[in-house]
Amino acid sequence: MNRIEQARQHAGDRYKLGSEEALRQFEQRSYGERYVEGSSYQWIEAAADCYGNDIALELLPEGDPSALSQKLSYKQLLERMRGFAGLLQELGVERQDSVSIILPNLLENHVALWGAQIVGIANPINGALDQEHIEAIMRTVGSKVLVCLGGGGDSLAWQQAVELANALDSIVALIYVSDQGGKAQAVDCSSLRAGVKVLEFNQAIEAQSVKPDVGAPLSGDTVAAYIHTGGTTGRPKVAPISHANFSHLRAKHRRCPAGPNIPG
């Protein structure tokens, strides 16, 4: 039985706990048997195998229902995740390295969040936090790459990214998302410290032609992301989220009867 068939079977009987015997049998299953895919990459890969060209993500950039939306199919999402992961490996990102992400609600945000987890650790950060708190978070997790907005020397988001890269010696690259309709634009690097690479997000991904080397299958207890608290009572704290945490959350969402139950 392959992974997709396992996912179908488990989705069908995982939560039929209408009797004491059913509960007993459920509790006898190991965690790995209850949740087939052990990492975010595995279950997104499984979803792409199953749903292919179906729409996975759809974004209305201006929030206008009559406007043209931006879409990614499951297959496209997986391909772009792999491209981003391959790019990170070229930049020297390894399993224990953090990739900080300061982006608004964009399709690129999802590609970066899940793609970073293939080869490293994602670290999404709320860009509305004070600069000193953002820097503290990135220093705590040892950020190696920062994904941010760009597209012009007068961009406040880009200026913020340059300041962070200058303050943190661990940063080796800034990967920016152009903020003008997805068209790549030059950014002002005149004040950026030497040695930091600058790449445009979509252009760099499209240039990738080799799948990332993911090595051995990830175990559920591997750290997938560092998430920070809101910081309402002081400096935000950082909490590690494992691949098993994400898989468990996803399995709980699959209980919803409003949509398909397989495989994600």
Side-chain angles (χ1 to χ4, degrees), residues 127-163:
L129 291 175
D130 291 340
Q131 182 84 344
E132 63 174 307
H133 288 167
I134 294 177
E135 181 181 332
I137 291 169
M138 293 177 63
R139 194 177 297 279
T140 297
V141 304
S143 300
K144 193 163 189 175
V145 173
L146 173 59
V147 183
C148 58
L149 278 180
D154 59 346
S155 166
L156 292 178
W158 176 249
Q159 291 177 19
Q160 176 192 52
V162 169
E163 291 173 5

PDB file of all heavy atoms in Angstrom, residues 127-163:
ATOM      1  N   GLY A 127       5.724  41.794  10.760  1.00  0.00           N
ATOM      2  CA  GLY A 127       6.469  43.004  10.415  1.00  0.00           C
ATOM      3  C   GLY A 127       6.013  44.241  11.151  1.00  0.00           C
ATOM      4  O   GLY A 127       6.694  45.274  11.114  1.00  0.00           O
ATOM      5  N   ALA A 128       4.873  44.165  11.855  1.00  0.00           N
ATOM      6  CA  ALA A 128       4.379  45.316  12.606  1.00  0.00           C
ATOM      7  C   ALA A 128       5.033  45.446  13.983  1.00  0.00           C
ATOM      8  O   ALA A 128       4.827  46.444  14.674  1.00  0.00           O
ATOM      9  CB  ALA A 128       2.862  45.223  12.771  1.00  0.00           C
ATOM     10  N   LEU A 129       5.831  44.458  14.371  1.00  0.00           N
ATOM     11  CA  LEU A 129       6.542  44.543  15.647  1.00  0.00           C
ATOM     12  C   LEU A 129       7.588  45.653  15.600  1.00  0.00           C
ATOM     13  O   LEU A 129       8.047  46.059  14.531  1.00  0.00           O
ATOM     14  CB  LEU A 129       7.238  43.214  15.953  1.00  0.00           C
ATOM     15  CG  LEU A 129       6.370  42.004  16.290  1.00  0.00           C
ATOM     16  CD1 LEU A 129       7.245  40.766  16.434  1.00  0.00           C
ATOM     17  CD2 LEU A 129       5.577  42.243  17.572  1.00  0.00           C
ATOM     18  N   ASP A 130       7.974  46.128  16.770  1.00  0.00           N
ATOM     19  CA  ASP A 130       9.065  47.099  16.840  1.00  0.00           C
ATOM     20  C   ASP A 130      10.331  46.482  16.248  1.00  0.00           C
ATOM     21  O   ASP A 130      10.578  45.272  16.385  1.00  0.00           O
ATOM     22  CB  ASP A 130       9.326  47.510  18.286  1.00  0.00           C
ATOM     23  CG  ASP A 130       8.189  48.340  18.872  1.00  0.00           C
ATOM     24  OD1 ASP A 130       7.405  48.900  18.080  1.00  0.00           O
ATOM     25  OD2 ASP A 130       8.090  48.414  20.114  1.00  0.00           O
ATOM     26  N   GLN A 131      11.145  47.325  15.639  1.00  0.00           N
ATOM     27  CA  GLN A 131      12.375  46.852  15.024  1.00  0.00           C
ATOM     28  C   GLN A 131      13.271  46.112  16.011  1.00  0.00           C
ATOM     29  O   GLN A 131      13.850  45.077  15.681  1.00  0.00           O
ATOM     30  CB  GLN A 131      13.138  48.043  14.417  1.00  0.00           C
ATOM     31  CG  GLN A 131      14.427  47.674  13.692  1.00  0.00           C
ATOM     32  CD  GLN A 131      14.196  47.247  12.259  1.00  0.00           C
ATOM     33  OE1 GLN A 131      13.073  46.943  11.873  1.00  0.00           O
ATOM     34  NE2 GLN A 131      15.255  47.199  11.478  1.00  0.00           N
ATOM     35  N   GLU A 132      13.357  46.617  17.243  1.00  0.00           N
ATOM     36  CA  GLU A 132      14.228  45.961  18.223  1.00  0.00           C
ATOM     37  C   GLU A 132      13.723  44.571  18.575  1.00  0.00           C
ATOM     38  O   GLU A 132      14.509  43.652  18.832  1.00  0.00           O
ATOM     39  CB  GLU A 132      14.338  46.800  19.497  1.00  0.00           C
ATOM     40  CG  GLU A 132      13.049  46.998  20.255  1.00  0.00           C
ATOM     41  CD  GLU A 132      13.262  47.718  21.585  1.00  0.00           C
ATOM     42  OE1 GLU A 132      14.102  47.255  22.370  1.00  0.00           O
ATOM     43  OE2 GLU A 132      12.605  48.740  21.812  1.00  0.00           O
ATOM     44  N   HIS A 133      12.398  44.369  18.555  1.00  0.00           N
ATOM     45  CA  HIS A 133      11.843  43.061  18.843  1.00  0.00           C
ATOM     46  C   HIS A 133      12.079  42.104  17.682  1.00  0.00           C
ATOM     47  O   HIS A 133      12.376  40.920  17.898  1.00  0.00           O
ATOM     48  CB  HIS A 133      10.356  43.180  19.147  1.00  0.00           C
ATOM     49  CG  HIS A 133      10.058  43.809  20.474  1.00  0.00           C
ATOM     50  ND1 HIS A 133       8.796  44.242  20.839  1.00  0.00           N
ATOM     51  CD2 HIS A 133      10.873  44.088  21.527  1.00  0.00           C
ATOM     52  CE1 HIS A 133       8.842  44.749  22.057  1.00  0.00           C
ATOM     53  NE2 HIS A 133      10.099  44.676  22.486  1.00  0.00           N
ATOM     54  N   ILE A 134      11.942  42.603  16.451  1.00  0.00           N
ATOM     55  CA  ILE A 134      12.229  41.765  15.289  1.00  0.00           C
ATOM     56  C   ILE A 134      13.689  41.329  15.301  1.00  0.00           C
ATOM     57  O   ILE A 134      14.006  40.149  15.082  1.00  0.00           O
ATOM     58  CB  ILE A 134      11.901  42.519  13.985  1.00  0.00           C
ATOM     59  CG1 ILE A 134      10.396  42.780  13.874  1.00  0.00           C
ATOM     60  CG2 ILE A 134      12.405  41.731  12.766  1.00  0.00           C
ATOM     61  CD1 ILE A 134       9.993  43.589  12.664  1.00  0.00           C
ATOM     62  N   GLU A 135      14.574  42.270  15.571  1.00  0.00           N
ATOM     63  CA  GLU A 135      16.000  41.938  15.625  1.00  0.00           C
ATOM     64  C   GLU A 135      16.279  40.919  16.721  1.00  0.00           C
ATOM     65  O   GLU A 135      17.084  39.987  16.531  1.00  0.00           O
ATOM     66  CB  GLU A 135      16.822  43.206  15.872  1.00  0.00           C
ATOM     67  CG  GLU A 135      18.319  42.944  15.907  1.00  0.00           C
ATOM     68  CD  GLU A 135      19.127  44.201  16.169  1.00  0.00           C
ATOM     69  OE1 GLU A 135      18.657  45.306  15.812  1.00  0.00           O
ATOM     70  OE2 GLU A 135      20.240  44.088  16.737  1.00  0.00           O
ATOM     71  N   ALA A 136      15.619  41.062  17.867  1.00  0.00           N
ATOM     72  CA  ALA A 136      15.833  40.129  18.977  1.00  0.00           C
ATOM     73  C   ALA A 136      15.381  38.719  18.599  1.00  0.00           C
ATOM     74  O   ALA A 136      16.046  37.727  18.938  1.00  0.00           O
ATOM     75  CB  ALA A 136      15.081  40.612  20.213  1.00  0.00           C
ATOM     76  N   ILE A 137      14.258  38.625  17.904  1.00  0.00           N
ATOM     77  CA  ILE A 137      13.772  37.315  17.466  1.00  0.00           C
ATOM     78  C   ILE A 137      14.769  36.675  16.509  1.00  0.00           C
ATOM     79  O   ILE A 137      15.137  35.496  16.653  1.00  0.00           O
ATOM     80  CB  ILE A 137      12.395  37.450  16.776  1.00  0.00           C
ATOM     81  CG1 ILE A 137      11.323  37.830  17.797  1.00  0.00           C
ATOM     82  CG2 ILE A 137      12.013  36.149  16.067  1.00  0.00           C
ATOM     83  CD1 ILE A 137      10.002  38.229  17.169  1.00  0.00           C
ATOM     84  N   MET A 138      15.230  37.453  15.534  1.00  0.00           N
ATOM     85  CA  MET A 138      16.160  36.915  14.544  1.00  0.00           C
ATOM     86  C   MET A 138      17.496  36.543  15.168  1.00  0.00           C
ATOM     87  O   MET A 138      18.130  35.563  14.771  1.00  0.00           O
ATOM     88  CB  MET A 138      16.350  37.943  13.412  1.00  0.00           C
ATOM     89  CG  MET A 138      15.083  38.159  12.588  1.00  0.00           C
ATOM     90  SD  MET A 138      15.259  39.424  11.300  1.00  0.00           S
ATOM     91  CE  MET A 138      16.515  38.694  10.254  1.00  0.00           C
ATOM     92  N   ARG A 139      17.900  37.292  16.167  1.00  0.00           N
ATOM     93  CA  ARG A 139      19.147  36.972  16.860  1.00  0.00           C
ATOM     94  C   ARG A 139      18.992  35.683  17.663  1.00  0.00           C
ATOM     95  O   ARG A 139      19.889  34.847  17.724  1.00  0.00           O
ATOM     96  CB  ARG A 139      19.544  38.133  17.775  1.00  0.00           C
ATOM     97  CG  ARG A 139      20.984  38.057  18.280  1.00  0.00           C
ATOM     98  CD  ARG A 139      21.330  39.273  19.122  1.00  0.00           C
ATOM     99  NE  ARG A 139      21.259  40.509  18.356  1.00  0.00           N
ATOM    100  CZ  ARG A 139      22.218  40.948  17.552  1.00  0.00           C
ATOM    101  NH1 ARG A 139      23.322  40.225  17.400  1.00  0.00           N
ATOM    102  NH2 ARG A 139      22.087  42.091  16.902  1.00  0.00           N
ATOM    103  N   THR A 140      17.831  35.515  18.274  1.00  0.00           N
ATOM    104  CA  THR A 140      17.565  34.322  19.073  1.00  0.00           C
ATOM    105  C   THR A 140      17.598  33.058  18.229  1.00  0.00           C
ATOM    106  O   THR A 140      18.151  32.029  18.629  1.00  0.00           O
ATOM    107  CB  THR A 140      16.188  34.431  19.770  1.00  0.00           C
ATOM    108  OG1 THR A 140      16.204  35.535  20.677  1.00  0.00           O
ATOM    109  CG2 THR A 140      15.853  33.157  20.536  1.00  0.00           C
ATOM    110  N   VAL A 141      16.979  33.107  17.037  1.00  0.00           N
ATOM    111  CA  VAL A 141      16.907  31.908  16.187  1.00  0.00           C
ATOM    112  C   VAL A 141      18.118  31.773  15.272  1.00  0.00           C
ATOM    113  O   VAL A 141      18.264  30.762  14.579  1.00  0.00           O
ATOM    114  CB  VAL A 141      15.610  31.893  15.350  1.00  0.00           C
ATOM    115  CG1 VAL A 141      14.396  32.001  16.247  1.00  0.00           C
ATOM    116  CG2 VAL A 141      15.605  33.009  14.305  1.00  0.00           C
ATOM    117  N   GLY A 142      18.980  32.786  15.243  1.00  0.00           N
ATOM    118  CA  GLY A 142      20.169  32.732  14.400  1.00  0.00           C
ATOM    119  C   GLY A 142      19.856  32.771  12.920  1.00  0.00           C
ATOM    120  O   GLY A 142      20.363  31.957  12.136  1.00  0.00           O
ATOM    121  N   SER A 143      19.033  33.715  12.503  1.00  0.00           N
ATOM    122  CA  SER A 143      18.586  33.798  11.108  1.00  0.00           C
ATOM    123  C   SER A 143      19.748  33.824  10.124  1.00  0.00           C
ATOM    124  O   SER A 143      20.692  34.600  10.287  1.00  0.00           O
ATOM    125  CB  SER A 143      17.732  35.056  10.906  1.00  0.00           C
ATOM    126  OG  SER A 143      16.602  35.026  11.736  1.00  0.00           O
ATOM    127  N   LYS A 144      19.662  33.000   9.093  1.00  0.00           N
ATOM    128  CA  LYS A 144      20.703  32.965   8.064  1.00  0.00           C
ATOM    129  C   LYS A 144      20.252  33.680   6.799  1.00  0.00           C
ATOM    130  O   LYS A 144      21.083  34.230   6.066  1.00  0.00           O
ATOM    131  CB  LYS A 144      21.068  31.517   7.750  1.00  0.00           C
ATOM    132  CG  LYS A 144      22.348  31.363   6.936  1.00  0.00           C
ATOM    133  CD  LYS A 144      22.879  29.944   7.017  1.00  0.00           C
ATOM    134  CE  LYS A 144      24.270  29.847   6.394  1.00  0.00           C
ATOM    135  NZ  LYS A 144      24.859  28.493   6.568  1.00  0.00           N
ATOM    136  N   VAL A 145      18.948  33.658   6.538  1.00  0.00           N
ATOM    137  CA  VAL A 145      18.373  34.311   5.357  1.00  0.00           C
ATOM    138  C   VAL A 145      17.136  35.074   5.798  1.00  0.00           C
ATOM    139  O   VAL A 145      16.386  34.621   6.660  1.00  0.00           O
ATOM    140  CB  VAL A 145      17.997  33.275   4.265  1.00  0.00           C
ATOM    141  CG1 VAL A 145      17.248  33.934   3.121  1.00  0.00           C
ATOM    142  CG2 VAL A 145      19.245  32.564   3.757  1.00  0.00           C
ATOM    143  N   LEU A 146      16.916  36.249   5.192  1.00  0.00           N
ATOM    144  CA  LEU A 146      15.712  37.030   5.457  1.00  0.00           C
ATOM    145  C   LEU A 146      14.938  37.212   4.159  1.00  0.00           C
ATOM    146  O   LEU A 146      15.491  37.657   3.153  1.00  0.00           O
ATOM    147  CB  LEU A 146      16.063  38.397   6.039  1.00  0.00           C
ATOM    148  CG  LEU A 146      14.893  39.383   6.209  1.00  0.00           C
ATOM    149  CD1 LEU A 146      13.813  38.813   7.119  1.00  0.00           C
ATOM    150  CD2 LEU A 146      15.399  40.729   6.741  1.00  0.00           C
ATOM    151  N   VAL A 147      13.650  36.839   4.182  1.00  0.00           N
ATOM    152  CA  VAL A 147      12.751  37.048   3.051  1.00  0.00           C
ATOM    153  C   VAL A 147      11.881  38.249   3.389  1.00  0.00           C
ATOM    154  O   VAL A 147      11.255  38.298   4.461  1.00  0.00           O
ATOM    155  CB  VAL A 147      11.874  35.811   2.792  1.00  0.00           C
ATOM    156  CG1 VAL A 147      10.998  36.029   1.557  1.00  0.00           C
ATOM    157  CG2 VAL A 147      12.735  34.571   2.620  1.00  0.00           C
ATOM    158  N   CYS A 148      11.814  39.226   2.478  1.00  0.00           N
ATOM    159  CA  CYS A 148      11.159  40.491   2.800  1.00  0.00           C
ATOM    160  C   CYS A 148      10.574  41.121   1.534  1.00  0.00           C
ATOM    161  O   CYS A 148      10.733  40.608   0.435  1.00  0.00           O
ATOM    162  CB  CYS A 148      12.171  41.452   3.421  1.00  0.00           C
ATOM    163  SG  CYS A 148      13.590  41.768   2.330  1.00  0.00           S
ATOM    164  N   LEU A 149       9.899  42.253   1.709  1.00  0.00           N
ATOM    165  CA  LEU A 149       9.445  43.042   0.569  1.00  0.00           C
ATOM    166  C   LEU A 149      10.583  43.896   0.047  1.00  0.00           C
ATOM    167  O   LEU A 149      11.479  44.297   0.795  1.00  0.00           O
ATOM    168  CB  LEU A 149       8.283  43.953   0.970  1.00  0.00           C
ATOM    169  CG  LEU A 149       6.877  43.346   1.015  1.00  0.00           C
ATOM    170  CD1 LEU A 149       5.873  44.420   1.427  1.00  0.00           C
ATOM    171  CD2 LEU A 149       6.479  42.737  -0.321  1.00  0.00           C
ATOM    172  N   GLY A 150      10.545  44.203  -1.248  1.00  0.00           N
ATOM    173  CA  GLY A 150      11.530  45.088  -1.845  1.00  0.00           C
ATOM    174  C   GLY A 150      10.891  45.830  -2.995  1.00  0.00           C
ATOM    175  O   GLY A 150       9.681  45.930  -3.085  1.00  0.00           O
ATOM    176  N   GLY A 151      11.711  46.347  -3.868  1.00  0.00           N
ATOM    177  CA  GLY A 151      11.163  46.970  -5.064  1.00  0.00           C
ATOM    178  C   GLY A 151      11.414  48.444  -5.180  1.00  0.00           C
ATOM    179  O   GLY A 151      10.783  49.130  -5.966  1.00  0.00           O
ATOM    180  N   GLY A 152      12.323  48.968  -4.412  1.00  0.00           N
ATOM    181  CA  GLY A 152      12.646  50.383  -4.530  1.00  0.00           C
ATOM    182  C   GLY A 152      13.445  50.869  -3.336  1.00  0.00           C
ATOM    183  O   GLY A 152      13.241  50.402  -2.217  1.00  0.00           O
ATOM    184  N   GLY A 153      14.358  51.799  -3.575  1.00  0.00           N
ATOM    185  CA  GLY A 153      15.194  52.309  -2.494  1.00  0.00           C
ATOM    186  C   GLY A 153      14.418  53.038  -1.426  1.00  0.00           C
ATOM    187  O   GLY A 153      14.899  53.217  -0.306  1.00  0.00           O
ATOM    188  N   ASP A 154      13.196  53.496  -1.739  1.00  0.00           N
ATOM    189  CA  ASP A 154      12.413  54.232  -0.756  1.00  0.00           C
ATOM    190  C   ASP A 154      11.441  53.334   0.001  1.00  0.00           C
ATOM    191  O   ASP A 154      10.605  53.810   0.758  1.00  0.00           O
ATOM    192  CB  ASP A 154      11.625  55.357  -1.447  1.00  0.00           C
ATOM    193  CG  ASP A 154      10.690  54.832  -2.521  1.00  0.00           C
ATOM    194  OD1 ASP A 154      10.851  53.661  -2.907  1.00  0.00           O
ATOM    195  OD2 ASP A 154       9.829  55.600  -2.967  1.00  0.00           O
ATOM    196  N   SER A 155      11.510  52.021  -0.239  1.00  0.00           N
ATOM    197  CA  SER A 155      10.630  51.091   0.438  1.00  0.00           C
ATOM    198  C   SER A 155      11.017  50.980   1.912  1.00  0.00           C
ATOM    199  O   SER A 155      12.148  50.626   2.252  1.00  0.00           O
ATOM    200  CB  SER A 155      10.709  49.704  -0.217  1.00  0.00           C
ATOM    201  OG  SER A 155      10.116  48.735   0.600  1.00  0.00           O
ATOM    202  N   LEU A 156      10.071  51.265   2.798  1.00  0.00           N
ATOM    203  CA  LEU A 156      10.352  51.171   4.238  1.00  0.00           C
ATOM    204  C   LEU A 156      10.679  49.734   4.632  1.00  0.00           C
ATOM    205  O   LEU A 156      11.537  49.499   5.488  1.00  0.00           O
ATOM    206  CB  LEU A 156       9.158  51.692   5.032  1.00  0.00           C
ATOM    207  CG  LEU A 156       8.875  53.199   4.922  1.00  0.00           C
ATOM    208  CD1 LEU A 156       7.622  53.556   5.739  1.00  0.00           C
ATOM    209  CD2 LEU A 156      10.067  54.010   5.413  1.00  0.00           C
ATOM    210  N   ALA A 157       9.964  48.776   4.018  1.00  0.00           N
ATOM    211  CA  ALA A 157      10.222  47.375   4.325  1.00  0.00           C
ATOM    212  C   ALA A 157      11.639  46.982   3.924  1.00  0.00           C
ATOM    213  O   ALA A 157      12.320  46.245   4.643  1.00  0.00           O
ATOM    214  CB  ALA A 157       9.203  46.492   3.607  1.00  0.00           C
ATOM    215  N   TRP A 158      12.089  47.481   2.767  1.00  0.00           N
ATOM    216  CA  TRP A 158      13.451  47.165   2.328  1.00  0.00           C
ATOM    217  C   TRP A 158      14.475  47.841   3.221  1.00  0.00           C
ATOM    218  O   TRP A 158      15.490  47.230   3.582  1.00  0.00           O
ATOM    219  CB  TRP A 158      13.647  47.585   0.872  1.00  0.00           C
ATOM    220  CG  TRP A 158      15.058  47.366   0.401  1.00  0.00           C
ATOM    221  CD1 TRP A 158      15.988  48.311   0.098  1.00  0.00           C
ATOM    222  CD2 TRP A 158      15.708  46.102   0.221  1.00  0.00           C
ATOM    223  NE1 TRP A 158      17.171  47.731  -0.265  1.00  0.00           N
ATOM    224  CE2 TRP A 158      17.030  46.368  -0.199  1.00  0.00           C
ATOM    225  CE3 TRP A 158      15.297  44.785   0.372  1.00  0.00           C
ATOM    226  CZ2 TRP A 158      17.941  45.357  -0.467  1.00  0.00           C
ATOM    227  CZ3 TRP A 158      16.218  43.766   0.094  1.00  0.00           C
ATOM    228  CH2 TRP A 158      17.518  44.067  -0.322  1.00  0.00           C
ATOM    229  N   GLN A 159      14.245  49.050   3.606  1.00  0.00           N
ATOM    230  CA  GLN A 159      15.169  49.738   4.520  1.00  0.00           C
ATOM    231  C   GLN A 159      15.278  48.977   5.835  1.00  0.00           C
ATOM    232  O   GLN A 159      16.366  48.839   6.402  1.00  0.00           O
ATOM    233  CB  GLN A 159      14.691  51.169   4.766  1.00  0.00           C
ATOM    234  CG  GLN A 159      14.799  52.083   3.549  1.00  0.00           C
ATOM    235  CD  GLN A 159      14.256  53.469   3.812  1.00  0.00           C
ATOM    236  OE1 GLN A 159      14.104  53.891   4.951  1.00  0.00           O
ATOM    237  NE2 GLN A 159      13.950  54.187   2.752  1.00  0.00           N
ATOM    238  N   GLN A 160      14.142  48.478   6.318  1.00  0.00           N
ATOM    239  CA  GLN A 160      14.136  47.685   7.545  1.00  0.00           C
ATOM    240  C   GLN A 160      14.989  46.431   7.375  1.00  0.00           C
ATOM    241  O   GLN A 160      15.774  46.072   8.257  1.00  0.00           O
ATOM    242  CB  GLN A 160      12.710  47.285   7.909  1.00  0.00           C
ATOM    243  CG  GLN A 160      12.604  46.374   9.122  1.00  0.00           C
ATOM    244  CD  GLN A 160      11.216  45.780   9.276  1.00  0.00           C
ATOM    245  OE1 GLN A 160      10.675  45.194   8.346  1.00  0.00           O
ATOM    246  NE2 GLN A 160      10.613  45.943  10.450  1.00  0.00           N
ATOM    247  N   ALA A 161      14.845  45.760   6.224  1.00  0.00           N
ATOM    248  CA  ALA A 161      15.603  44.539   5.966  1.00  0.00           C
ATOM    249  C   ALA A 161      17.106  44.816   5.927  1.00  0.00           C
ATOM    250  O   ALA A 161      17.906  44.044   6.469  1.00  0.00           O
ATOM    251  CB  ALA A 161      15.146  43.911   4.654  1.00  0.00           C
ATOM    252  N   VAL A 162      17.499  45.913   5.291  1.00  0.00           N
ATOM    253  CA  VAL A 162      18.918  46.278   5.219  1.00  0.00           C
ATOM    254  C   VAL A 162      19.464  46.536   6.618  1.00  0.00           C
ATOM    255  O   VAL A 162      20.567  46.079   6.974  1.00  0.00           O
ATOM    256  CB  VAL A 162      19.113  47.516   4.312  1.00  0.00           C
ATOM    257  CG1 VAL A 162      20.539  48.052   4.449  1.00  0.00           C
ATOM    258  CG2 VAL A 162      18.810  47.156   2.861  1.00  0.00           C
ATOM    259  N   GLU A 163      18.703  47.232   7.436  1.00  0.00           N
ATOM    260  CA  GLU A 163      19.145  47.512   8.814  1.00  0.00           C
ATOM    261  C   GLU A 163      19.309  46.218   9.604  1.00  0.00           C
ATOM    262  O   GLU A 163      20.258  46.068  10.388  1.00  0.00           O
ATOM    263  CB  GLU A 163      18.143  48.438   9.496  1.00  0.00           C
ATOM    264  CG  GLU A 163      18.134  49.852   8.924  1.00  0.00           C
ATOM    265  CD  GLU A 163      17.013  50.703   9.498  1.00  0.00           C
ATOM    266  OE1 GLU A 163      16.299  50.214  10.405  1.00  0.00           O
ATOM    267  OE2 GLU A 163      16.848  51.852   9.040  1.00  0.00           O
TER     268      GLU A 163
END
